Amino acid sequence: MSSVVRNQGSCVAIRSLSPSSSINRCSHASASSDGATCGRPAWIGKRLTCVCFKRKGVYEGICFNITPKQEERLNRLRHRMKVYFDGSRPDHQEALRALWSATYPGKELHGLISDQWKEMGWQGRDPSTDFRGAGFISLENLLFFAKTFSTSFQCLLKKQGGNRSAWEYPFAVAGVNITFMIMQMLDLDASVKPRTFIRSVFLQMLSENEWAFDLLYCVAFVVMDKQWLEKNATYMEFNEVLKSTRTQLERELLMDDVLRIEDMPSYTLLC
């Protein structure tokens, strides 16, 4: 393969790569300014891809080589994504109780099926019915957020910041939707080989921090709430806010100096 043709380009982005990164310039491909478009990358051998990106007005090819650590952590994350919430499993029941305790310290939970769950923003008395869209990992994400950034978690839960809408988004259900949005954005349910530049960038971050997905979730939640306030949105506009949240996350992940989730500008919103 000596060139990258129009239907083999990947998402064009402007990004500087650190010398220590396992993303290297590609010697297999090159492209003119009109020879690459957004689409699927061209594969060169197992676990190696060439992707077009734009630097100083010129489209260049780079190669992504998935390291054993990246593949191991990606497989572990993909396994988490495939676990459905099962209300009959003791460990899932315990995780649900742990979420309640982290959300409402010192407040007694009357049962795993209770009207109390509506306070957190679940749609009904049984929160297990709301996990169907994203599975058990969405519960893990909420629990991680509650324990790692408790101040931000409580602020969003109680809708303490800004001028709130009369018809607010339900906190817990919004969290499940954010998990699902990130899974789609990162294309994590696909094969091991990265098909998008965003996913390849995330794999670099995952190799540095096994909790990169969970950290990105926390960033996404505060970005979503910020977008919600800026748009003066109501619940009927939640999907539009989620789309703009995804756009903001993608923009930040492709910034030159963002090599970790902690480098994202919106990470500073967390406390």
Side-chain angles (χ1 to χ4, degrees), residues 97-113:
R97 292 191 183 94
L99 176 62
W100 178 269
S101 297
T103 305
Y104 303 108
K107 187 174 183 179
E108 181 182 0
L109 175 65
H110 298 155
L112 294 181
I113 298 179

Side-chain angles (χ1 to χ4, degrees), residues 15-203:
R15 182 176 177 85
S16 298
L17 301 172
S18 65
S20 60
S21 173
S22 61
I23 303 178
N24 302 306
R25 285 183 181 274
C26 176
S27 59
H28 305 279
S30 62
S32 65
S33 60
D34 61 350
T37 59
C38 189
R40 183 170 298 187
W43 293 105
I44 301 183
K46 186 178 180 181
R47 298 192 183 91
L48 190 65
T49 181
C50 287
V51 179
C52 295
F53 74 107
K54 189 176 183 181
R55 183 193 296 273
K56 296 180 180 179
V58 179
Y59 291 97
E60 301 178 357
I62 54 176
C63 285
F64 296 88
N65 190 17
I66 298 179
T67 67
K69 177 186 286 188
Q70 289 172 341
E71 186 170 356
E72 176 189 356
R73 290 187 171 179
L74 177 59
N75 287 336
R76 194 177 306 162
L77 180 55
R78 292 178 70 206
H79 175 74
R80 290 176 61 195
M81 290 165 44
K82 293 178 181 178
V83 177
Y84 293 100
F85 182 86
D86 184 349
S88 66
R89 287 182 52 168
D91 56 333
H92 288 199
Q93 295 175 5
E94 184 58 34
L96 203 52
R97 292 191 183 94
L99 176 62
W100 178 269
S101 297
T103 305
Y104 303 108
K107 187 174 183 179
E108 181 182 0
L109 175 65
H110 298 155
L112 294 181
I113 298 179
S114 168
D115 284 331
Q116 289 176 290
W117 289 107
K118 296 179 184 179
E119 300 174 28
M120 197 185 298
W122 300 104
Q123 296 184 84
R125 303 177 69 249
D126 183 3
S128 67
T129 61
D130 290 329
F131 290 122
R132 293 170 184 166
F136 184 64
I137 191 173
S138 58
L139 172 55
E140 292 180 313
N141 288 158
L142 278 168
L143 188 54
F144 179 90
F145 189 14
K147 290 186 173 182
T148 309
F149 303 101
S150 59
T151 301
S152 293
F153 181 90
Q154 290 294 329
C155 182
L156 298 188
L157 170 71
K158 299 172 182 176
K159 306 294 195 299
Q160 292 177 335
N163 296 319
R164 312 304 308 195
S165 168
W167 195 8
E168 280 287 327
Y169 63 84
F171 176 78
V173 173
V176 174
N177 278 273
I178 289 171
T179 295
F180 186 71
M181 178 270 289
I182 296 174
M183 288 162 58
Q184 289 186 314
M185 179 182 74
L186 298 178
D187 196 28
L188 295 176
D189 60 346
S191 62
V192 172
K193 300 174 182 178
R195 300 188 302 183
T196 65
F197 195 85
I198 286 287
R199 184 185 179 188
S200 298
V201 168
F202 177 76
L203 286 180

